[in-house]
Amino acid sequence: MAFEQAWLDYSRKLSCEGAGKIASVSIAIPEDRQDDLIGNSVTELQRAFLGLFGRELSVHTGTKACDGICLAFREGMQAEAYHVYEDGGKITIEAADSSGILYGVFALLCHMRTGGSLSGLELAKAPVMPMRMLNHWDNMDGSIERGYSGESFFFEDDEILVNDRTVTYARLAASVGINAAVINNVNVKDAATWLITERYADKVRELADVFGGYGIRLYLSLNYAAPMEVGRLNSADPLSEEVRAWWKKQMAYIFQKVPNLGGFLIKADSEGRPGPFTYGRTHADGANMLAEAALPYGAKIIWRCFVYNCQQDWRDEKTDRARSGYDNFIGLDGQFLDNVILQIKNGPMDFQVREPVHPLFGRLTKTNQMLEVQIAQEYTGQQRHVCYLIPMFREILAFHTYVAKEHDTVEDIVSGRTFAQKNCGMAAVANTGNDENWTGHDMAAANWYGFGRLAFEPELTAEEIAKEWIRLTFGMDEEVEETMLHILMTSWKAYENYNAPLGIGWMVNPNFHYGPSVDGYEYSRWGTYHRADHLGIGVDRSGEGTGYALLYREPNASVYNDKERCPDELILFFHHLPYTWKLKSGKTVIQHIYDTHFEGVEMVDEMVERFKKLQDKLPQKAYQRMLERFLHQKEHAREWRDQINSYFYRKTGIADEKGRKIYG
Ligand code: GCV
């Protein structure tokens, strides 16, 4: 198995009904519209047929020779949509543009490789999210912030890399419908500040062109203070004429060098990064300044809402980090230019295993919005524990905000349905690195695969996506599929079970965000507290506490505000409760903590036992690599269980009803 090809490994031979007759590709597309995407579509078909069937496909231009696979444009279809069908043994892939053709090619190959036949074939899809983006947190020295699968393949020693791996990356991303990627960390420092200058422009162009050939727009993260660091101005005030002129000049330069650059992602006034607050200006002032400068080039400014006070005093019970994104941005609704998109993390804190949906969704009504999720698993096991996140993302997308009578879910908002917006979509903090298998844990690739598939077709279930990924990656073996599916589909729940309980989050080692440390964040400056004492635990975010629960629209606000109605899985996020509080499940808080922590470990044990049975069915290298991680997860889940259970047993003195071993 060629691990660097991940789910696009075509070396496993395939038998597919109807494929035997296909011997050619015809490009029935006017020559002046044949671009790199069309060329890459043809190459992908050739590569696949050679690998899967050992057959060289011949290539023809024009309609006459169309007896195998025919690529054709059809006006009137939605941008990036495809229609693939069989007629008389001939397969037609049609689309309004070349991205649609490429997606049609990948859809056809996926269909064939997951057990579909070609006779009577009919596949038609249009992407639901306009923007389907990966955010890489890669630094130019080659390190990756919160990267758990090796070093960067975009950067090394302050240089940009463009090589075979770049092409494979683009193929993998395009095959699941990704159409935008930010290559550098949102914490823009050092050399990365200079990515928009002559130092890197030629190489940025080279990379943008490779991406462009796969329908992916290259984006860069910007340093808000670039006018000072690069331009040597003495301010980055968004209302200063000098600063505005500098950005205009710099944008003119970079877009003349890299015309197909998609735009920029900005983290401002957050965790020590510069921003408009320094000058008493708002985030709308900052974003609009950049948007105005980028507008002539059709570029977008993606502005993050992850803004909070990271110098909090833990004694301060009034300030609530969960409120900060909302409080900083709600007053600016309607003030942003149309080429600005606010990028909002899925929850109000920071990618914990369970959080409520960010309250800006459903409250912002006049602003372009994008949902930011994280597949890097920073707080969900760092690609050492299996944690398939697509079920979580589906729940977030399905959340009713009640912003409108219909089309009120997060999916509706970020797909543009609710407010008829085009500049919107979904972004994921990426989980890739230069490890041979891209994602460290082989099974973490399901999150990369799944994110793209979900953003393209959110109606797919998490199971459907997982099955597709398993079949493409490991072939069509029933036992492999059943086992892998079981592991993936139970993994989020298992992780949640042995992690921090009932939505409270953060009981993690503060330096690495890995491993249990119940009080690790309790007396810190990060606004991340559980407030446990010997009587109770949880943060009072009701109307009588920080008021966070009331930021939602009704009926969500009333439900979250009321301890009796708040869902169990989030109850400690919203309420401070005695350990003896009876949950809706009928269990007390303390018994729930004990039970879930024992159950979480049992779930992992079962995963590992089932996985071991696949020893003879998986490529040995992959099996060993996964086994090593599973064995670690098994031990580490116990560490989580025992530390959390002991902590609460010691605090409360309440014994486990079932008398299991808890260390006193
Ligand atoms: C890129 C968390 C992470 C940081 C990350 C930040 C962000 O705080 O720990 O590493 O910085 O989120 O999303 O900007």
Side-chain angles (χ1 to χ4, degrees), residues 47 68 89 96 116 134 153 168 195 228 242 278 297 314 323 333 350 367 383 402 430 479 614 628 648:
R47 178 189 280 126
L134 288 171
F153 50 84
T168 310
L195 279 167
M228 301 167 79
E242 201 185 15
T278 309
Y297 316 101
W314 59 270
R323 291 191 61 113
D333 192 18
D350 195 9
T367 303
Q383 297 163 238
Y402 300 100
E479 192 191 353
L614 300 183
E628 196 184 305
F648 288 105

PDB file of all heavy atoms in Angstrom, residues 47 68 89 96 116 134 153 168 195 228 242 278 297 314 323 333 350 367 383 402 430 479 614 628 648:
ATOM      1  N   ARG A  47      -4.368   7.681 -14.291  1.00  0.00           N
ATOM      2  CA  ARG A  47      -3.641   7.084 -13.167  1.00  0.00           C
ATOM      3  C   ARG A  47      -4.500   5.999 -12.503  1.00  0.00           C
ATOM      4  O   ARG A  47      -4.033   4.904 -12.203  1.00  0.00           O
ATOM      5  CB  ARG A  47      -3.298   8.182 -12.169  1.00  0.00           C
ATOM      6  CG  ARG A  47      -2.596   7.684 -10.934  1.00  0.00           C
ATOM      7  CD  ARG A  47      -2.473   8.772  -9.886  1.00  0.00           C
ATOM      8  NE  ARG A  47      -1.367   9.695 -10.153  1.00  0.00           N
ATOM      9  CZ  ARG A  47      -1.489  11.013 -10.221  1.00  0.00           C
ATOM     10  NH1 ARG A  47      -2.661  11.596 -10.069  1.00  0.00           N
ATOM     11  NH2 ARG A  47      -0.447  11.781 -10.440  1.00  0.00           N
ATOM     12  N   GLY A  68     -15.729   6.139 -24.360  1.00  0.00           N
ATOM     13  CA  GLY A  68     -15.322   5.675 -23.037  1.00  0.00           C
ATOM     14  C   GLY A  68     -15.884   6.622 -21.986  1.00  0.00           C
ATOM     15  O   GLY A  68     -17.068   6.603 -21.692  1.00  0.00           O
ATOM     16  N   GLY A  89     -23.169   2.281 -22.261  1.00  0.00           N
ATOM     17  CA  GLY A  89     -21.804   1.872 -21.930  1.00  0.00           C
ATOM     18  C   GLY A  89     -20.830   3.032 -21.880  1.00  0.00           C
ATOM     19  O   GLY A  89     -19.701   2.905 -21.402  1.00  0.00           O
ATOM     20  N   ALA A  96     -20.598  22.745 -15.360  1.00  0.00           N
ATOM     21  CA  ALA A  96     -20.548  24.075 -15.963  1.00  0.00           C
ATOM     22  C   ALA A  96     -19.125  24.628 -15.966  1.00  0.00           C
ATOM     23  O   ALA A  96     -18.807  25.579 -16.676  1.00  0.00           O
ATOM     24  CB  ALA A  96     -21.465  25.021 -15.204  1.00  0.00           C
ATOM     25  N   GLY A 116     -19.654   0.386  -6.410  1.00  0.00           N
ATOM     26  CA  GLY A 116     -20.705   0.738  -7.368  1.00  0.00           C
ATOM     27  C   GLY A 116     -20.447   0.143  -8.738  1.00  0.00           C
ATOM     28  O   GLY A 116     -19.302  -0.136  -9.095  1.00  0.00           O
ATOM     29  N   LEU A 134      -9.394  24.466   4.323  1.00  0.00           N
ATOM     30  CA  LEU A 134      -8.497  23.963   5.364  1.00  0.00           C
ATOM     31  C   LEU A 134      -7.639  25.111   5.873  1.00  0.00           C
ATOM     32  O   LEU A 134      -7.139  25.912   5.071  1.00  0.00           O
ATOM     33  CB  LEU A 134      -7.606  22.848   4.813  1.00  0.00           C
ATOM     34  CG  LEU A 134      -8.301  21.519   4.544  1.00  0.00           C
ATOM     35  CD1 LEU A 134      -7.371  20.568   3.795  1.00  0.00           C
ATOM     36  CD2 LEU A 134      -8.776  20.857   5.844  1.00  0.00           C
ATOM     37  N   PHE A 153       4.758  20.230   5.368  1.00  0.00           N
ATOM     38  CA  PHE A 153       5.212  19.950   3.999  1.00  0.00           C
ATOM     39  C   PHE A 153       5.059  21.184   3.115  1.00  0.00           C
ATOM     40  O   PHE A 153       5.290  21.127   1.925  1.00  0.00           O
ATOM     41  CB  PHE A 153       4.490  18.734   3.391  1.00  0.00           C
ATOM     42  CG  PHE A 153       2.994  18.789   3.507  1.00  0.00           C
ATOM     43  CD1 PHE A 153       2.232  19.474   2.584  1.00  0.00           C
ATOM     44  CD2 PHE A 153       2.362  18.165   4.571  1.00  0.00           C
ATOM     45  CE1 PHE A 153       0.851  19.534   2.708  1.00  0.00           C
ATOM     46  CE2 PHE A 153       0.972  18.226   4.702  1.00  0.00           C
ATOM     47  CZ  PHE A 153       0.219  18.912   3.764  1.00  0.00           C
ATOM     48  N   THR A 168       0.184  15.757  -4.361  1.00  0.00           N
ATOM     49  CA  THR A 168      -0.656  14.712  -3.743  1.00  0.00           C
ATOM     50  C   THR A 168      -1.614  15.340  -2.735  1.00  0.00           C
ATOM     51  O   THR A 168      -2.791  14.968  -2.666  1.00  0.00           O
ATOM     52  CB  THR A 168       0.217  13.641  -3.054  1.00  0.00           C
ATOM     53  OG1 THR A 168       1.218  13.226  -3.979  1.00  0.00           O
ATOM     54  CG2 THR A 168      -0.603  12.449  -2.635  1.00  0.00           C
ATOM     55  N   LEU A 195       5.391  36.838   3.700  1.00  0.00           N
ATOM     56  CA  LEU A 195       4.841  36.027   2.599  1.00  0.00           C
ATOM     57  C   LEU A 195       4.209  36.890   1.505  1.00  0.00           C
ATOM     58  O   LEU A 195       4.105  36.472   0.354  1.00  0.00           O
ATOM     59  CB  LEU A 195       3.805  35.025   3.132  1.00  0.00           C
ATOM     60  CG  LEU A 195       4.380  33.745   3.739  1.00  0.00           C
ATOM     61  CD1 LEU A 195       3.304  32.976   4.508  1.00  0.00           C
ATOM     62  CD2 LEU A 195       5.000  32.855   2.663  1.00  0.00           C
ATOM     63  N   MET A 228       3.941  47.845  10.120  1.00  0.00           N
ATOM     64  CA  MET A 228       5.046  48.256  10.991  1.00  0.00           C
ATOM     65  C   MET A 228       6.271  47.371  10.753  1.00  0.00           C
ATOM     66  O   MET A 228       7.378  47.853  10.597  1.00  0.00           O
ATOM     67  CB  MET A 228       4.622  48.183  12.458  1.00  0.00           C
ATOM     68  CG  MET A 228       3.417  49.063  12.744  1.00  0.00           C
ATOM     69  SD  MET A 228       2.661  48.728  14.329  1.00  0.00           S
ATOM     70  CE  MET A 228       3.774  49.602  15.421  1.00  0.00           C
ATOM     71  N   GLU A 242      -1.986  56.651   6.045  1.00  0.00           N
ATOM     72  CA  GLU A 242      -0.693  56.077   5.677  1.00  0.00           C
ATOM     73  C   GLU A 242      -0.744  54.537   5.706  1.00  0.00           C
ATOM     74  O   GLU A 242      -0.248  53.853   4.819  1.00  0.00           O
ATOM     75  CB  GLU A 242       0.335  56.579   6.690  1.00  0.00           C
ATOM     76  CG  GLU A 242       1.751  56.506   6.213  1.00  0.00           C
ATOM     77  CD  GLU A 242       2.731  56.915   7.320  1.00  0.00           C
ATOM     78  OE1 GLU A 242       2.329  56.977   8.513  1.00  0.00           O
ATOM     79  OE2 GLU A 242       3.900  57.153   6.978  1.00  0.00           O
ATOM     80  N   THR A 278      -5.507  48.129  19.756  1.00  0.00           N
ATOM     81  CA  THR A 278      -4.385  48.974  20.183  1.00  0.00           C
ATOM     82  C   THR A 278      -4.651  50.449  19.874  1.00  0.00           C
ATOM     83  O   THR A 278      -4.168  51.340  20.561  1.00  0.00           O
ATOM     84  CB  THR A 278      -3.103  48.546  19.423  1.00  0.00           C
ATOM     85  OG1 THR A 278      -2.980  47.142  19.567  1.00  0.00           O
ATOM     86  CG2 THR A 278      -1.856  49.240  19.939  1.00  0.00           C
ATOM     87  N   TYR A 297      -9.241  42.955  -6.336  1.00  0.00           N
ATOM     88  CA  TYR A 297      -8.705  41.674  -6.839  1.00  0.00           C
ATOM     89  C   TYR A 297      -9.674  40.527  -6.562  1.00  0.00           C
ATOM     90  O   TYR A 297      -9.320  39.351  -6.694  1.00  0.00           O
ATOM     91  CB  TYR A 297      -7.329  41.415  -6.206  1.00  0.00           C
ATOM     92  CG  TYR A 297      -6.503  42.682  -6.222  1.00  0.00           C
ATOM     93  CD1 TYR A 297      -6.375  43.474  -5.079  1.00  0.00           C
ATOM     94  CD2 TYR A 297      -5.942  43.143  -7.425  1.00  0.00           C
ATOM     95  CE1 TYR A 297      -5.690  44.681  -5.117  1.00  0.00           C
ATOM     96  CE2 TYR A 297      -5.259  44.358  -7.463  1.00  0.00           C
ATOM     97  CZ  TYR A 297      -5.146  45.122  -6.306  1.00  0.00           C
ATOM     98  OH  TYR A 297      -4.481  46.312  -6.357  1.00  0.00           O
ATOM     99  N   TRP A 314      -8.346  34.271  37.889  1.00  0.00           N
ATOM    100  CA  TRP A 314      -9.275  33.178  38.167  1.00  0.00           C
ATOM    101  C   TRP A 314     -10.253  33.493  39.294  1.00  0.00           C
ATOM    102  O   TRP A 314     -11.310  32.891  39.417  1.00  0.00           O
ATOM    103  CB  TRP A 314      -8.522  31.884  38.479  1.00  0.00           C
ATOM    104  CG  TRP A 314      -7.590  31.980  39.655  1.00  0.00           C
ATOM    105  CD1 TRP A 314      -6.274  32.347  39.622  1.00  0.00           C
ATOM    106  CD2 TRP A 314      -7.904  31.733  41.025  1.00  0.00           C
ATOM    107  NE1 TRP A 314      -5.748  32.335  40.885  1.00  0.00           N
ATOM    108  CE2 TRP A 314      -6.729  31.951  41.770  1.00  0.00           C
ATOM    109  CE3 TRP A 314      -9.052  31.331  41.704  1.00  0.00           C
ATOM    110  CZ2 TRP A 314      -6.677  31.807  43.152  1.00  0.00           C
ATOM    111  CZ3 TRP A 314      -9.001  31.174  43.090  1.00  0.00           C
ATOM    112  CH2 TRP A 314      -7.812  31.414  43.796  1.00  0.00           C
ATOM    113  N   ARG A 323     -18.406  34.286  26.807  1.00  0.00           N
ATOM    114  CA  ARG A 323     -19.167  35.413  26.260  1.00  0.00           C
ATOM    115  C   ARG A 323     -18.364  36.244  25.275  1.00  0.00           C
ATOM    116  O   ARG A 323     -18.939  37.053  24.522  1.00  0.00           O
ATOM    117  CB  ARG A 323     -19.567  36.363  27.403  1.00  0.00           C
ATOM    118  CG  ARG A 323     -20.582  35.885  28.379  1.00  0.00           C
ATOM    119  CD  ARG A 323     -21.013  37.074  29.235  1.00  0.00           C
ATOM    120  NE  ARG A 323     -21.603  38.100  28.380  1.00  0.00           N
ATOM    121  CZ  ARG A 323     -22.888  38.454  28.416  1.00  0.00           C
ATOM    122  NH1 ARG A 323     -23.699  37.903  29.275  1.00  0.00           N
ATOM    123  NH2 ARG A 323     -23.347  39.400  27.594  1.00  0.00           N
ATOM    124  N   ASP A 333     -22.471  43.753  13.873  1.00  0.00           N
ATOM    125  CA  ASP A 333     -23.246  43.081  12.818  1.00  0.00           C
ATOM    126  C   ASP A 333     -23.737  44.111  11.793  1.00  0.00           C
ATOM    127  O   ASP A 333     -24.317  45.129  12.156  1.00  0.00           O
ATOM    128  CB  ASP A 333     -24.455  42.377  13.466  1.00  0.00           C
ATOM    129  CG  ASP A 333     -25.139  41.429  12.502  1.00  0.00           C
ATOM    130  OD1 ASP A 333     -24.518  41.048  11.492  1.00  0.00           O
ATOM    131  OD2 ASP A 333     -26.297  41.061  12.775  1.00  0.00           O
ATOM    132  N   ASP A 350     -12.999  26.602  23.012  1.00  0.00           N
ATOM    133  CA  ASP A 350     -11.879  26.275  22.134  1.00  0.00           C
ATOM    134  C   ASP A 350     -11.800  24.773  21.853  1.00  0.00           C
ATOM    135  O   ASP A 350     -10.958  24.084  22.433  1.00  0.00           O
ATOM    136  CB  ASP A 350     -10.573  26.751  22.797  1.00  0.00           C
ATOM    137  CG  ASP A 350      -9.415  26.781  21.818  1.00  0.00           C
ATOM    138  OD1 ASP A 350      -9.662  26.604  20.614  1.00  0.00           O
ATOM    139  OD2 ASP A 350      -8.267  26.982  22.267  1.00  0.00           O
ATOM    140  N   THR A 367     -24.128  39.633   8.480  1.00  0.00           N
ATOM    141  CA  THR A 367     -22.684  39.461   8.324  1.00  0.00           C
ATOM    142  C   THR A 367     -22.396  38.081   7.743  1.00  0.00           C
ATOM    143  O   THR A 367     -23.021  37.103   8.149  1.00  0.00           O
ATOM    144  CB  THR A 367     -22.009  39.581   9.717  1.00  0.00           C
ATOM    145  OG1 THR A 367     -22.351  40.848  10.289  1.00  0.00           O
ATOM    146  CG2 THR A 367     -20.503  39.481   9.623  1.00  0.00           C
ATOM    147  N   GLN A 383      -4.499  12.982  17.688  1.00  0.00           N
ATOM    148  CA  GLN A 383      -4.190  11.993  16.651  1.00  0.00           C
ATOM    149  C   GLN A 383      -3.396  10.794  17.189  1.00  0.00           C
ATOM    150  O   GLN A 383      -2.772  10.073  16.420  1.00  0.00           O
ATOM    151  CB  GLN A 383      -3.514  12.671  15.444  1.00  0.00           C
ATOM    152  CG  GLN A 383      -4.456  13.689  14.802  1.00  0.00           C
ATOM    153  CD  GLN A 383      -3.799  14.695  13.897  1.00  0.00           C
ATOM    154  OE1 GLN A 383      -3.916  15.896  14.117  1.00  0.00           O
ATOM    155  NE2 GLN A 383      -3.098  14.247  12.878  1.00  0.00           N
ATOM    156  N   TYR A 402     -32.990  29.215  15.671  1.00  0.00           N
ATOM    157  CA  TYR A 402     -34.262  29.945  15.706  1.00  0.00           C
ATOM    158  C   TYR A 402     -34.132  31.378  15.189  1.00  0.00           C
ATOM    159  O   TYR A 402     -34.889  32.251  15.565  1.00  0.00           O
ATOM    160  CB  TYR A 402     -34.887  29.900  17.129  1.00  0.00           C
ATOM    161  CG  TYR A 402     -35.156  28.475  17.552  1.00  0.00           C
ATOM    162  CD1 TYR A 402     -34.286  27.798  18.405  1.00  0.00           C
ATOM    163  CD2 TYR A 402     -36.240  27.766  17.032  1.00  0.00           C
ATOM    164  CE1 TYR A 402     -34.495  26.470  18.745  1.00  0.00           C
ATOM    165  CE2 TYR A 402     -36.452  26.436  17.367  1.00  0.00           C
ATOM    166  CZ  TYR A 402     -35.579  25.795  18.223  1.00  0.00           C
ATOM    167  OH  TYR A 402     -35.793  24.485  18.541  1.00  0.00           O
ATOM    168  N   ALA A 430      -6.388  22.067  10.096  1.00  0.00           N
ATOM    169  CA  ALA A 430      -5.996  20.815   9.444  1.00  0.00           C
ATOM    170  C   ALA A 430      -5.194  19.896  10.355  1.00  0.00           C
ATOM    171  O   ALA A 430      -4.591  20.336  11.342  1.00  0.00           O
ATOM    172  CB  ALA A 430      -5.193  21.133   8.194  1.00  0.00           C
ATOM    173  N   GLU A 479     -15.303  -7.567   7.244  1.00  0.00           N
ATOM    174  CA  GLU A 479     -14.877  -7.528   8.655  1.00  0.00           C
ATOM    175  C   GLU A 479     -14.102  -6.241   8.959  1.00  0.00           C
ATOM    176  O   GLU A 479     -14.286  -5.618  10.009  1.00  0.00           O
ATOM    177  CB  GLU A 479     -14.007  -8.762   8.963  1.00  0.00           C
ATOM    178  CG  GLU A 479     -13.789  -8.937  10.451  1.00  0.00           C
ATOM    179  CD  GLU A 479     -12.738  -9.982  10.782  1.00  0.00           C
ATOM    180  OE1 GLU A 479     -12.261 -10.686   9.870  1.00  0.00           O
ATOM    181  OE2 GLU A 479     -12.381 -10.074  11.977  1.00  0.00           O
ATOM    182  N   LEU A 614      -7.954  -7.754  13.231  1.00  0.00           N
ATOM    183  CA  LEU A 614      -7.718  -7.399  11.820  1.00  0.00           C
ATOM    184  C   LEU A 614      -6.261  -7.604  11.399  1.00  0.00           C
ATOM    185  O   LEU A 614      -5.875  -7.245  10.286  1.00  0.00           O
ATOM    186  CB  LEU A 614      -8.102  -5.930  11.568  1.00  0.00           C
ATOM    187  CG  LEU A 614      -9.555  -5.543  11.844  1.00  0.00           C
ATOM    188  CD1 LEU A 614      -9.775  -4.087  11.475  1.00  0.00           C
ATOM    189  CD2 LEU A 614     -10.515  -6.438  11.071  1.00  0.00           C
ATOM    190  N   GLU A 628       0.107   0.337  17.888  1.00  0.00           N
ATOM    191  CA  GLU A 628       0.912   1.078  18.863  1.00  0.00           C
ATOM    192  C   GLU A 628       0.092   2.222  19.475  1.00  0.00           C
ATOM    193  O   GLU A 628       0.096   2.447  20.680  1.00  0.00           O
ATOM    194  CB  GLU A 628       2.134   1.627  18.134  1.00  0.00           C
ATOM    195  CG  GLU A 628       3.242   2.080  19.030  1.00  0.00           C
ATOM    196  CD  GLU A 628       4.351   2.695  18.181  1.00  0.00           C
ATOM    197  OE1 GLU A 628       4.843   2.015  17.245  1.00  0.00           O
ATOM    198  OE2 GLU A 628       4.683   3.856  18.433  1.00  0.00           O
ATOM    199  N   PHE A 648     -12.486  13.403  42.129  1.00  0.00           N
ATOM    200  CA  PHE A 648     -13.834  13.677  42.632  1.00  0.00           C
ATOM    201  C   PHE A 648     -14.177  12.839  43.862  1.00  0.00           C
ATOM    202  O   PHE A 648     -14.914  13.299  44.731  1.00  0.00           O
ATOM    203  CB  PHE A 648     -14.869  13.542  41.501  1.00  0.00           C
ATOM    204  CG  PHE A 648     -14.747  14.686  40.530  1.00  0.00           C
ATOM    205  CD1 PHE A 648     -14.161  14.515  39.289  1.00  0.00           C
ATOM    206  CD2 PHE A 648     -15.163  15.960  40.902  1.00  0.00           C
ATOM    207  CE1 PHE A 648     -14.005  15.590  38.424  1.00  0.00           C
ATOM    208  CE2 PHE A 648     -15.009  17.038  40.040  1.00  0.00           C
ATOM    209  CZ  PHE A 648     -14.425  16.855  38.797  1.00  0.00           C
TER     210      PHE A 648
END
